[in-house]
Amino acid sequence: MKFNTALLHNNFQSESSTGATVMPVYQVSAFSHDSPETLEKIFNNKAPGFAYSRISNPTVDSFEKRIAALEKGIGAVACSSGMAAVTMSLLGILKSGDEVIAGSSLFGGTIDLFGDLKAFGITTKFVDDFTTEEIEPLITEKTKAIFTELIGNPRLDVVDIESVSSLAHRYGIPLIIDSTTATPYLIHPIDYGADIVVHSTSKYINGSGDAISGVIIDSGNFKWDGTKYDFAVKYKKYGKYAYLTNLRNGIWRNVGCCLAPMNAFLNSIGLETLGLRMERLCDNALRLAEFLSGFDDIEVNYPALPDNKYYPLVRKQFKGKGGAILTIRTGSKKRAFSLMNNLNIPLVATNIGDVRTLVIHPSSTIYAHSSEQQKISAGVYDDTIRISIGIEDIDDLKEDFRQAIEKSKEEN
């Protein structure tokens, strides 16, 4: 099946007991069973079924299966937020004394997370450019994970997954890719060698800005070494499902960062229009980036522009589409605020992936806790505006940005 057909039909059937054409919201805490023997088997992974919604829920289970199929993984674990998914993807592997190599152009919350992990004895080494040349010298026997965003947010740098995954696998290290900003519409990272894929499904997969959520997808391809990863010994009998089994029976289950059934339902509904939305969003982003490039006093960053350094990778990995985020630099923080205040259509908000165009000043908001060096590495400056493109008519967006740019120039 092609992409839009797969969104509707791959790994999804109508609800068996009623024939409902969408999976209903099972808004319950617990599930009763005919006997204690049955519940015992479910709790001990000896029989399928549902016991408690923190552990599993039919609405959430349906969403997980659809996402896993869409990303070509063997299974998925849904989480209460994108940050919970990032955290669990790592803590399912790491222990005190371990090291992570990560890109420096990460979402501000992820950078903060790596800072928090220091208290647990986990060290992160950051690279400015996520390339094999910068990564390999940092690999030691303590390196247990390599992590990056596929399209940096908001730096918009693009990772060559094939190159980095080949390096990681030579050293027996899993590559974890946060593909939130790329989405399965642009690429299936597993096809290029990623071992674990993470999404903040609050963003493009949901699409309407009405549900916080995240998901972890396992490729099932990584060969977990029991001498490096303790869980691989404990769950060896589960074979390629060892990583997912460890999450479901360990830290994910015990921390309690489960996805709410209603949010799973909203994500499942949003998922079905992902292809249609991304087609429009990518087209709008490119056309607005081209338009803004015509202003001499505005610096535009968008990876699908031919003069962008990542353009060859965009063509190789994303079929020429650059995603739905672009950034501009205005010359000063004062002018950036002035430009944003003069816009009529975009909302000033922190999310991305909404159907509406959103703008934010990253330096004073989502990177407020980052050092100046961390901001620079992430492509965040005092005059930077991040634009998350929506599905509005592009002529309306162009006109709105034109008048806002002209007014901001007059005011500054």
Side-chain angles (χ1 to χ4, degrees):
M1 290 183 285
K2 293 188 181 298
F3 190 81
N4 287 303
T5 309
L7 287 176
L8 298 171
H9 300 286
N10 197 4
N11 227 24
F12 175 76
Q13 297 83 34
S14 59
E15 206 274 335
S16 59
S17 63
T18 64
T21 57
V22 295
M23 174 58 71
V25 183
Y26 284 83
Q27 193 66 40
V28 296
S29 298
F31 302 83
S32 65
H33 294 276
D34 294 336
S35 68
E37 289 85 358
T38 300
L39 190 55
E40 179 186 35
K41 289 177 181 178
I42 293 171
F43 257 86
N44 289 279
N45 303 315
K46 294 180 179 179
F50 302 95
Y52 189 62
S53 280
R54 174 170 61 81
I55 302 168
S56 59
N57 174 282
T59 312
V60 178
D61 178 69
S62 174
F63 174 63
E64 290 171 338
K65 288 177 178 175
R66 296 178 77 175
I67 287 288
L70 182 62
E71 279 288 23
K72 301 184 180 182
I74 61 168
V77 175
C79 301
S80 54
S81 68
M83 283 307 307
V86 170
T87 304
M88 292 298 104
S89 73
L90 291 163
L91 293 186
I93 295 172
L94 304 173
K95 63 180 184 297
S96 181
D98 288 345
E99 296 177 350
V100 180
I101 297 175
S104 58
S105 59
L106 300 174
F107 168 62
T110 306
I111 293 175
D112 292 344
L113 168 66
F114 282 120
D116 293 335
L117 293 181
K118 292 179 183 177
F120 300 91
I122 298 168
T123 303
T124 305
K125 298 177 179 178
F126 293 99
V127 294
D128 283 334
D129 290 312
F130 204 78
T131 62
T132 56
E133 291 78 13
E134 290 205 16
I135 295 169
E136 188 165 21
L138 300 182
I139 294 175
T140 71
E141 62 181 12
K142 295 180 180 180
T143 307
K144 299 297 175 61
I146 297 177
F147 178 94
T148 190
E149 293 176 11
L150 181 46
I151 303 177
N153 169 24
R155 183 175 160 188
L156 303 180
D157 51 324
V158 179
V159 173
D160 186 335
I161 308 178
E162 282 185 325
S163 175
V164 174
S165 65
S166 294
L167 172 68
H169 297 159
R170 286 205 308 271
Y171 286 90
I173 303 168
L175 174 63
I176 305 175
I177 292 287
D178 184 334
S179 194
T180 299
T181 49
T183 81
Y185 174 76
L186 295 186
I187 186 173
H188 298 110
I190 290 171
D191 284 344
Y192 292 79
D195 300 298
I196 298 163
V197 178
V198 177
H199 287 278
S200 173
T201 49
S202 318
K203 311 300 190 290
Y204 298 98
I205 287 171
N206 172 269
S208 296
D210 59 13
I212 300 297
S213 51
V215 70
I216 306 164
I217 305 104
D218 184 12
S219 69
N221 296 328
F222 189 74
K223 308 302 181 185
W224 298 101
D225 182 351
T227 64
K228 293 176 65 173
Y229 303 96
D230 294 344
F231 75 87
V233 177
K234 183 177 181 180
Y235 295 110
K236 183 178 180 180
K237 66 180 180 179
Y238 292 98
K240 64 182 180 180
Y241 292 95
Y243 174 77
L244 292 173
T245 305
N246 179 50
L247 282 176
R248 289 201 179 277
N249 288 276
I251 192 158
W252 172 85
R253 177 175 179 154
N254 297 332
V255 169
C257 55
C258 56
L259 178 59
M262 177 58 76
N263 286 2
F265 172 79
L266 293 170
N267 284 342
S268 293
I269 297 300
L271 178 67
E272 296 181 346
T273 61
L274 176 63
L276 300 177
R277 287 184 285 105
M278 285 302 293
E279 182 73 27
R280 176 62 171 255
L281 294 173
C282 291
D283 182 64
N284 272 1
L286 177 59
R287 293 172 68 182
L288 184 62
E290 291 171 339
F291 174 74
L292 295 177
S293 295
F295 292 86
D296 293 338
D297 55 347
I298 298 293
E299 181 182 325
V300 181
N301 178 26
Y302 183 62
L305 290 173
D307 61 351
N308 189 282
K309 67 180 288 187
Y310 298 106
Y311 183 68
L313 265 179
V314 167
R315 291 185 62 83
K316 172 188 173 184
Q317 295 184 157
F318 309 144
K319 300 178 287 293
K321 298 184 184 297
I325 300 173
L326 61 114
T327 63
I328 59 175
R329 296 189 63 182
T330 61
S332 69
K333 178 181 177 180
K334 182 181 178 183
R335 189 183 181 197
F337 275 35
S338 173
L339 196 159
M340 293 168 68
N341 283 327
N342 280 299
L343 288 168
N344 297 311
I345 294 175
L347 305 178
V348 180
T350 188
N351 198 22
I352 60 172
D354 203 315
V355 290
R356 300 161 185 81
T357 297
L358 310 175
V359 294
I360 195 169
H361 181 254
S363 181
S364 61
T365 55
I366 52 180
Y367 286 84
H369 302 128
S370 300
S371 67
E372 287 305 311
Q373 184 54 54
Q374 286 174 327
K375 290 180 181 180
I376 292 171
S377 296
V380 173
Y381 304 91
D382 264 355
D383 64 342
T384 299
I385 299 174
R386 185 188 72 184
I387 306 167
S388 173
I389 297 297
I391 64 172
E392 298 94 346
D393 290 304
I394 188 61
D395 288 341
D396 292 332
L397 288 175
K398 287 180 180 179
E399 174 56 26
D400 196 24
F401 273 91
R402 182 200 62 75
Q403 63 83 23
I405 289 170
E406 290 180 356
K407 287 181 180 178
S408 69
K409 189 173 183 179
E410 293 172 1
E411 294 171 359
N412 291 275

